[in-house]
Amino acid sequence: MRCLLLLLAAFHSDAFTLNRCVPRASTTSLYAADGPPQYDKFQATLSEAEKVGEGSFMLHIDTEDVVEYEPGHVLALEMEAPNADGDDVDSKTSEDAKQNGGWMRGPYTVSRSTDKSIDILVKVVGEKSKLFSIATPGTPLRFGGKFKVPIVEGIDTDTTKRVVLISTGVGVGPCVGAIEKAIEQESFPPIDLIASYRTEDEIVYKDHLDKLQKEHTDKFSWKAIITSEQGRMSSTADNLRVLTDTNFKSGLEDTHYHLIGNGQMVSEFKAGLQAAGVKDDKVTVEMYFNHKAEIDADAVSRIAAAAALEVAAVPQ
């Protein structure tokens, strides 16, 4: 955990929990006294920054070396700042780039990967993410480290009958990659994805998810929550019915929840599921931002009440 906090402090970003290892390749190392943990830097090239929703871009990255990443892994991604000494980047990004040889950097979650490519979904929320989103094909990149347990790996399929993925914003990216992986495994339990967005225009990969749902009705289902129209998922009991509105049969003890995205959502759902009696090993989490937000006790109570009804209504 200390390594994680140091990494995040250097990147001026928010919390991830992690496990550490590196890809296979010859590399140059990053050394930082009293800074982030050392990690090897690998060379890569941006293939495309594809717009996949309003303000959301999938970075398709080609790697020079063979890599081994899974959806949900976290890595450090670097790109040269356009002018680390000028006004093209904000002060924090500029200062970090100066300390890193002119390369801005941050922790990002892998959405998909092959042995020579990585996909990372980013939301434009500041200058650094904007620069990634407008980068042109062929832009040199660097990456390194391998943190966090992948989503699929964190689920005990022997004791799980249903998986519920709850995401906000670009947290859906790793979920999509995990769903694609899980569908390939015959023994993997069925998945419900509940993806929350502020507006309908922000929905990511709607056509792709609809296609997966149509082709794998016994393995996958998904729904979108639009908070500008419905309010937050936890804001009403009616909204929370989405937790049990499923065709996949399961109970409280054999449903696994993966929570990813806004820290307030993650914290409230984690507390609510715990209050409902969901075991700790049936809840995995990843926070992107807002991890110090105050928990709404009423929202936690509503989540607990909804989860306690976790006996899926499947026609007998």
Side-chain angles (χ1 to χ4, degrees), residues 34 53 59 151 176:
D34 297 323
L59 305 181
I151 295 173
V176 172

Side-chain angles (χ1 to χ4, degrees), residues 51-52 82 160 208:
K51 185 175 181 179
V52 292
T160 301
H208 179 53

Side-chain angles (χ1 to χ4, degrees), residues 52 125 159 241 303 314:
V52 292
V125 294
T159 62
R241 288 176 182 169
I303 293 166
V314 177

Side-chain angles (χ1 to χ4, degrees), residues 9-55:
F11 294 160
H12 308 289
S13 185
D14 289 309
F16 294 97
T17 55
L18 55 86
N19 293 324
R20 186 176 179 202
C21 53
V22 295
R24 303 194 309 266
S26 58
T27 65
T28 57
S29 294
L30 171 68
Y31 300 93
D34 297 323
Q38 299 177 11
Y39 62 90
D40 291 329
K41 296 184 179 183
F42 294 78
Q43 304 301 314
T45 303
L46 181 68
S47 173
E48 180 187 10
E50 177 192 8
K51 185 175 181 179
V52 292
E54 186 61 38

Side-chain angles (χ1 to χ4, degrees), residues 153-209:
E153 184 180 324
I155 297 168
D156 182 358
T157 58
D158 291 335
T159 62
T160 301
K161 292 184 178 179
R162 174 183 172 229
V163 175
V164 182
L165 306 178
I166 302 177
S167 68
T168 64
V170 294
V172 75
C175 293
V176 172
I179 290 161
E180 293 167 344
K181 286 279 186 180
I183 285 175
E184 296 174 356
Q185 303 178 25
E186 184 176 348
S187 62
F188 201 89
I191 298 172
D192 280 306
L193 168 65
I194 306 169
S196 178
Y197 302 94
R198 189 176 61 86
T199 68
E200 189 168 355
D201 289 342
E202 294 178 354
I203 295 177
V204 172
Y205 280 157
K206 181 182 185 301
D207 291 343
H208 179 53
L209 292 170

Side-chain angles (χ1 to χ4, degrees), residues 110-279:
V110 173
S111 291
R112 300 188 188 95
S113 181
T114 69
D115 60 353
K116 296 294 290 288
S117 72
I118 303 168
D119 284 356
I120 294 174
L121 184 61
V122 300
K123 177 75 171 180
V124 176
V125 294
E127 193 62 29
K128 180 163 56 179
S129 53
K130 179 182 177 181
L131 291 170
F132 275 116
S133 74
I134 63 175
T136 57
T139 297
L141 302 173
R142 301 193 306 206
F143 67 97
K146 184 190 290 183
F147 312 113
K148 186 75 175 162
V149 176
I151 295 173
V152 170
E153 184 180 324
I155 297 168
D156 182 358
T157 58
D158 291 335
T159 62
T160 301
K161 292 184 178 179
R162 174 183 172 229
V163 175
V164 182
L165 306 178
I166 302 177
S167 68
T168 64
V170 294
V172 75
C175 293
V176 172
I179 290 161
E180 293 167 344
K181 286 279 186 180
I183 285 175
E184 296 174 356
Q185 303 178 25
E186 184 176 348
S187 62
F188 201 89
I191 298 172
D192 280 306
L193 168 65
I194 306 169
S196 178
Y197 302 94
R198 189 176 61 86
T199 68
E200 189 168 355
D201 289 342
E202 294 178 354
I203 295 177
V204 172
Y205 280 157
K206 181 182 185 301
D207 291 343
H208 179 53
L209 292 170
D210 284 344
K211 184 172 183 288
L212 288 176
Q213 180 175 252
K214 183 177 181 180
E215 293 176 349
H216 304 277
T217 56
D218 60 334
K219 300 282 286 183
F220 172 62
S221 179
W222 84 287
K223 302 177 182 70
I225 299 291
I226 307 302
T227 60
S228 62
E229 300 174 7
Q230 303 168 250
R232 292 198 305 144
M233 192 190 318
S234 61
S235 63
T236 69
D238 282 345
N239 282 356
L240 284 165
R241 288 176 182 169
V242 71
L243 293 178
T244 52
D245 181 16
T246 179
N247 290 322
F248 307 134
K249 187 174 181 180
S250 68
L252 190 67
E253 73 286 349
D254 50 25
T255 300
H256 185 105
Y257 293 87
H258 184 71
L259 317 172
I260 180 169
N262 185 308
Q264 184 176 15
M265 180 280 287
V266 171
S267 296
E268 289 177 355
F269 267 85
K270 184 178 179 182
L273 294 171
Q274 184 179 43
V278 178
K279 294 181 179 179

